[in-house]
Amino acid sequence: MQELQQAVWLVDGRSLEILFANVAAVQLTGRSAEEMVGRPVLELVSSPEDEIFWSRPLPEISMGICSCTEVWSARRKRSVEVERRVQAVYAAAEGDEGCEHPLLLLSMQDRSEQESSRQEYEVLLGELRATLDSAADGLLVCDLQGAIRAFNQRFAQLWSLPAPMLARRDDAAVFAHMRQQLADPAACDEQLVARTDGPMQEAVDILRLGNGVILEQRSVPQLAHGRLAGRVYSFRDISRQAEVQASLRLAAQVFESSLDAIFIADEHHLILRVNRGCEQLLGAPRAPLPGSAVTALLDAGMDEEAFLAQVAQRWRREGFWEGEVILRKAVGASGPPIHLSWVVLRDEGGTVVQSIGFMRDLTQQRAAQRRIEELAFTDVLTGLPNRLRLHERVQEAIDAAQGSDAQFALLFLDLDRFKIVNDSLGHPFGDRVLKLVAQRLLRCLRQSDMLCRLGGDEFVVHLANSDAQMAESVARRVLEEMLQPFQLDEMSFSIQGSIGIAMHPQDGRSLDDLIKHADTAMYRTKERGRGSYGFYQPQMNSNLLARMKMEHAMRQALGQGHMAVHYQPQVDMASGRIVGAEALLRWNDPQLGVVSPAAFIPLAEESGYIVTLGAWVMEQAAREAAYWQDSETPLVISVNVSALEFRQPGFLHRVARLIEHHGLRPRQLELELTESVLLQDAQDKEEMLAALARMGISLSIDDFGTGYSSLAYLKNLPIHRLKVDKSFVDGLPGEDGERAIVQAIIKMGQALGLEVVAEGVEDKVQREALSAMGCMFYQGYLCSPALPKQQLRDLMLQDRLH
């Protein structure tokens, strides 16, 4: 037993004392054989299980035991795990007196190394499982029949396996769940089943899940001892990678299809790649370009080193350089101007690795800029400089004249009655005439002068270094040139203009002042008869200022109650009774006092405000006529209608509405028109007059004989009355000329069946002379001036009492 590798003890079966211990027992316990022999076996044990075992009766102990337990090792100073066996060496038979001392064989096998190996194995197994669970890829292991053998946590996360499915083994449920997660299960069925064709082959598949995740599935065979044992599937989330790849494909597509020319260069500014736009811009195939220096394509107006230093400085400060350079064609010729944006790309350490350049051809942009400048500083129709260009030229002249006696003149030319050309021949024809006028005006000027078109038919001439004498000479030359007939489309016609002249510095020290004053002088020239020229005089502005103040006050007066309608009685010559009244507008301003109609009526006609005034006067007259129509002495109220008011759209409708609104009998309202109204657009006016006549409204011609009288319209138009102007009546009865004119008017009216009313009768002599000629009615101061409506009513009451 000494040679045995196991520790062996012989134990007395009755006393349970150790009788023998071999060398292996000594090594296991660290105690000598002498120390152990004669000692109770219980000193070797340390577990409660051993104590219970050795406390049993001998027959039970003799049946033996094989178990694992621990024994104390004095040498190791710790308990050692052992495999313990107990068996009887020989058994004592009942009644056999010859065997009084049965022996028990106790053997122990040291298992500490095996236990240590087992623990290490479990640790390694745990670490391996932890490693697999920590892997970024999901792993699935299947056997040769496709049954699941194992999978890691990442696999469960990628496929969103529910917790109950992780707690039990159900391969069919796992595969069914995986199929449900696919975006297109039917299309991916073959990719999910175990591969039976070519089991040793590797495979890669792309799976798209319903939640948008894209998985890469790799399948490889699993080998055990060189033999096929199953397959291992790895699943990797490549959604981000797919997105990046899609972005790269898109970037590549944008790079190739971009309208801008793009190049990519390395850290040494050598071209690596160019797109199709760059090839087209350079006019050369892209194949020879890689390897060329970027600076070989560009002309920045400086040497290469200076340019690259400037680019590097901007790269450090802003990360890009941009500016305009000239492109060098591949053949070496100078190319178009381009806008270059050159962006630097750096690595994490800040080192330049690449750069990208974006080039855009500026040829069309430069052409557009030139065109914009032309449009901004040039008149589109004539090609002459416009007001902006004139402003630049005049400002330069003003700046140059400071501190010196230098003078220059500004001529403002306006074509007379050019509206007739546009209205009769059309605006396209008128535009062509303006071009001819511009050509003629240019022939009258020097190279240093500038002709500018302000707009419409207005031109301005800047005469450089010119005094008043030279300005007058140029103005005369222009007017003489304009007197020559124009020829266009086999049509010969004449165009004349009026010129106003302003001198710098006495008439203004800015362009606006000079144009304003030259314009003022031009309008004063038109007032004197047109077709001439005139210099600006300071008093002209004072007159214009007074007119401007009057116009402003006039527009405010109506709303502020400073205007009123007065009525001048019209008297029957035969009976001496008042039979009508003319409505006349009167203005009494708090600041200006009583303003004469001769002053503000022309201003209202010129400004167009006469339409508003006329409508208000007609409204008041219709109301007053309605008052008189049911009285004992009905009066016909007559109202003056200006040419502008008569031409307004809706005039007939407005008159009809007034009559209806006031319940007025139309014959109680009379409209007074001047001869000029009837002569303009005669056909249209004839239709309007006929419509008024059909309404029952009386019509009269005011100031008859002062304009261009035509017997044709007297014959054809539905006129009821002629009014002899006051200027003819003033000469009665002594002036033979006026007497003859008045006599002719009255006779003509009688011949045409028209009533005749004389205006401005101031004394009985005039009345008797008119009565002797056969005039039927008169109005004037002899009877009464124009009166407010209440005074007119009082006058009518007195007339009835007498």
Side-chain angles (χ1 to χ4, degrees):
M1 289 190 289
Q2 289 289 356
E3 303 299 330
L4 294 177
Q5 296 296 322
Q6 293 181 331
V8 177
W9 291 266
L10 284 177
V11 181
D12 187 325
R14 294 186 183 277
S15 63
L16 299 180
E17 292 179 355
I18 299 173
L19 300 178
F20 171 80
N22 68 353
V23 176
V26 172
Q27 293 177 350
L28 178 62
T29 61
R31 298 168 65 182
S32 64
E34 292 78 6
E35 291 178 359
M36 292 185 285
V37 173
R39 304 301 299 171
V41 73
L42 288 176
E43 290 185 2
L44 298 177
V45 301
S46 60
S47 66
E49 180 184 0
D50 291 322
E51 292 179 1
I52 294 172
F53 174 74
W54 291 109
S55 65
R56 293 176 180 174
L58 180 58
E60 292 183 13
I61 295 175
S62 297
M63 293 175 63
I65 187 174
C66 180
S67 64
C68 293
T69 184
E70 294 180 351
V71 65
W72 177 259
S73 173
R75 180 171 59 85
R76 301 180 190 179
K77 297 181 181 181
R78 62 178 176 85
S79 297
V80 178
E81 293 184 359
V82 295
E83 181 180 314
R84 179 263 318 269
R85 289 179 181 271
V86 178
Q87 60 185 18
V89 176
Y90 54 88
E94 289 187 19
D96 187 354
E97 298 293 333
C99 190
E100 297 178 354
H101 300 286
L103 299 177
L104 299 174
L105 181 63
L106 171 62
S107 63
M108 295 185 184
Q109 178 69 41
D110 189 351
R111 294 187 57 84
S112 58
E113 292 184 3
Q114 291 90 336
E115 184 64 24
S116 177
S117 297
R118 184 188 63 79
Q119 290 179 356
E120 290 179 2
Y121 174 76
E122 289 181 355
V123 170
L124 289 174
L125 187 62
E127 289 178 353
L128 178 59
R129 180 171 293 278
T131 301
L132 293 177
D133 285 337
S134 301
D137 294 346
L139 297 176
L140 172 67
V141 182
C142 297
D143 60 19
L144 293 176
Q145 287 71 41
I148 297 176
R149 292 171 58 187
F151 56 77
N152 65 352
Q153 291 184 4
R154 181 57 176 163
F155 172 83
Q157 293 173 357
L158 291 176
W159 289 96
S160 303
L161 294 180
M165 196 171 292
L166 300 176
R168 71 180 188 276
R169 179 170 184 139
D170 189 344
D171 295 356
V174 172
F175 285 124
H177 176 80
M178 292 173 64
R179 188 178 187 278
Q180 291 175 357
Q181 298 301 305
L182 295 172
D184 187 359
C188 298
D189 280 344
E190 294 183 0
Q191 299 171 351
L192 286 178
V193 299
R195 294 181 179 270
T196 57
D197 53 334
M200 296 299 293
Q201 294 181 357
E202 297 184 3
V204 179
D205 297 301
I206 302 299
L207 305 177
R208 294 182 180 273
L209 304 188
N211 58 5
V213 174
I214 302 175
L215 298 180
E216 179 189 65
Q217 174 187 275
R218 288 184 177 270
S219 173
V220 297
Q222 184 186 35
L223 301 178
H225 305 293
R227 300 179 61 184
L228 182 64
R231 295 192 72 82
V232 178
Y233 297 88
S234 65
F235 300 90
R236 176 174 296 179
D237 186 352
I238 60 170
S239 303
R240 176 59 180 166
Q241 180 181 349
E243 182 180 349
V244 171
Q245 290 177 351
S247 299
L248 291 175
R249 288 193 298 269
L250 178 60
Q253 184 177 0
V254 171
F255 177 79
E256 283 298 332
S257 60
S258 175
L259 297 179
D260 286 345
I262 305 176
F263 66 81
I264 301 176
D266 63 11
E267 68 275 17
H268 302 298
H269 314 307
L270 300 179
I271 295 176
L272 299 175
R273 186 180 176 185
V274 298
N275 70 342
R276 186 179 298 107
C278 188
E279 180 181 2
Q280 294 174 350
L281 180 62
L282 292 171
R286 68 179 76 182
L289 293 175
S292 303
V294 173
T295 51
L297 304 178
L298 308 174
D299 180 4
M302 63 184 77
D303 61 60
E304 180 178 334
E305 292 184 2
F307 175 61
L308 291 178
Q310 186 184 95
V311 170
Q313 182 181 7
R314 288 284 298 276
W315 279 359
R316 287 191 297 270
R317 187 171 64 249
E318 301 176 10
F320 67 93
W321 181 93
E322 66 176 350
E324 295 185 8
V325 296
I326 302 298
L327 183 67
R328 291 194 182 109
K329 293 288 188 177
V331 295
S334 178
I338 62 170
H339 180 273
L340 171 63
S341 295
W342 199 355
V343 183
V344 65
L345 303 178
R346 302 179 185 272
D347 59 14
E348 296 179 355
T351 303
V352 176
V353 292
Q354 285 184 343
S355 61
I356 304 177
F358 302 87
M359 299 184 292
R360 188 173 70 253
D361 190 348
L362 297 179
T363 303
Q364 293 185 354
Q365 181 178 338
R366 292 286 179 83
Q369 288 177 346
R370 288 193 297 269
R371 180 57 178 162
I372 290 173
E373 291 178 358
E374 290 176 0
L375 294 176
F377 294 100
T378 306
D379 176 58
V380 177
L381 176 63
T382 61
L384 296 175
N386 62 7
R387 188 186 184 105
L388 290 176
R389 183 68 75 187
L390 177 67
H391 182 273
E392 288 185 350
R393 172 67 69 86
V394 172
Q395 189 61 48
E396 290 174 359
I398 292 175
D399 294 341
Q402 290 182 357
S404 67
D405 296 332
Q407 287 184 310
F408 64 85
L410 217 63
L411 277 62
F412 195 111
L413 168 67
D414 183 86
L415 303 182
D416 296 333
R417 299 184 181 90
F418 190 75
K419 185 177 183 299
I420 298 176
V421 175
N422 284 330
D423 291 346
S424 59
L425 300 175
H427 286 275
F429 187 90
D431 290 344
R432 294 167 65 193
V433 173
L434 290 174
K435 293 180 181 180
L436 295 179
V437 171
Q439 294 173 6
R440 288 202 179 182
L441 295 178
L442 287 173
R443 293 201 296 263
C444 301
L445 305 178
R446 302 167 298 177
Q447 289 289 341
S448 58
D449 301 330
M450 174 181 282
L451 173 63
C452 159
R453 177 173 177 250
L454 290 187
D457 58 352
E458 296 177 339
F459 296 85
V460 173
V461 177
H462 169 250
L463 297 179
N465 300 317
S466 171
D467 56 14
Q469 183 178 359
M470 180 181 292
E472 183 176 8
S473 175
V474 172
R476 287 179 177 176
R477 187 161 62 248
V478 167
L479 294 177
E480 290 175 358
E481 184 70 25
M482 295 294 291
L483 289 177
Q484 302 300 318
F486 287 83
Q487 189 77 25
L488 189 61
D489 292 345
E490 299 181 356
M491 179 185 297
S492 182
F493 54 92
S494 298
I495 297 290
Q496 68 174 8
S498 300
I499 300 176
I501 306 173
M503 300 298 300
H504 176 274
Q506 57 266 35
D507 295 335
R509 295 184 177 273
S510 69
L511 174 64
D512 291 339
D513 288 342
L514 291 171
I515 288 182
K516 180 179 67 175
H517 294 159
D519 187 27
T520 301
M522 181 271 297
Y523 272 106
R524 181 54 59 90
T525 300
K526 283 184 177 290
E527 292 176 358
R528 291 199 303 263
R530 305 175 187 269
S532 184
Y533 65 90
F535 284 87
Y536 170 75
Q537 301 296 330
Q539 63 269 22
M540 294 179 180
N541 263 352
S542 61
N543 296 337
L544 290 177
L545 182 61
R547 287 169 60 86
M548 184 177 68
K549 290 182 178 179
M550 178 178 289
E551 180 180 351
H552 176 72
M554 175 182 65
R555 292 180 180 274
Q556 305 298 316
L558 196 60
Q560 295 174 353
H562 298 155
M563 285 187 173
V565 177
H566 290 189
Y567 300 90
Q568 186 172 41
Q570 294 177 341
V571 183
D572 186 337
M573 285 279 193
S575 64
R577 306 298 295 265
I578 299 174
V579 295
E582 180 180 1
L584 299 172
L585 184 62
R586 295 294 183 260
W587 177 17
N588 190 356
D589 190 84
Q591 302 296 329
L592 303 176
V594 177
V595 183
S596 169
F600 74 83
I601 292 297
L603 183 59
E605 290 179 340
E606 179 182 336
S607 64
Y609 193 61
I610 191 67
V611 175
T612 301
L613 295 179
W616 184 76
V617 171
M618 187 177 294
E619 171 72 30
Q620 306 304 312
R623 183 180 290 111
E624 190 66 13
Y627 170 82
W628 287 107
Q629 71 177 354
D630 296 325
S631 65
E632 296 181 6
T633 55
L635 296 182
V636 175
I637 304 298
S638 60
V639 184
N640 290 283
V641 179
S642 70
L644 185 59
E645 183 184 4
F646 193 68
R647 289 197 299 268
Q648 293 300 304
F651 177 79
L652 293 176
H653 175 73
R654 179 162 61 86
V655 173
R657 184 170 51 82
L658 279 176
I659 291 175
E660 180 181 2
H661 177 72
H662 294 289
L664 183 64
R665 290 190 291 272
R667 65 175 179 273
Q668 298 301 123
L669 183 66
E670 180 180 270
L671 302 183
E672 296 186 8
L673 308 171
T674 62
E675 292 174 299
S676 60
V677 175
L678 302 178
L679 290 176
Q680 295 176 2
D681 301 328
Q683 184 175 358
D684 294 340
K685 299 302 185 296
E686 184 176 351
E687 294 176 358
M688 292 183 64
L689 293 174
L692 291 171
R694 286 193 296 270
M695 293 182 193
I697 296 176
S698 301
L699 301 171
S700 65
I701 299 179
D702 194 19
D703 302 333
F704 184 79
T706 58
Y708 177 80
S709 302
S710 172
L711 298 180
Y713 74 77
L714 290 178
K715 174 183 176 183
N716 298 326
L717 298 180
I719 304 299
H720 301 86
R721 281 189 179 187
L722 300 178
K723 299 192 72 174
V724 182
D725 188 68
K726 181 180 182 298
S727 61
F728 299 135
V729 176
D730 287 342
L732 294 180
E735 295 291 338
D736 293 339
E738 279 77 359
R739 183 181 183 86
I741 291 173
V742 174
Q743 181 71 57
I745 293 173
I746 294 174
K747 291 297 183 182
M748 182 169 52
Q750 292 174 345
L752 296 174
L754 304 177
E755 297 178 353
V756 179
V757 181
E759 293 182 308
V761 177
E762 298 182 354
D763 54 46
K764 294 181 179 179
V765 176
Q766 291 176 337
R767 183 188 63 182
E768 291 172 358
L770 290 167
S771 178
M773 295 179 192
C775 182
M776 302 174 64
F777 305 97
Y778 77 91
Q779 68 183 78
Y781 277 40
L782 177 61
C783 174
S784 171
L787 302 172
K789 61 182 180 181
Q790 186 56 50
Q791 294 184 21
L792 175 64
R793 295 171 184 178
D794 295 341
L795 179 63
M796 288 297 297
L797 179 61
Q798 296 176 9
D799 187 61
R800 284 200 303 271
L801 293 176
H802 289 83

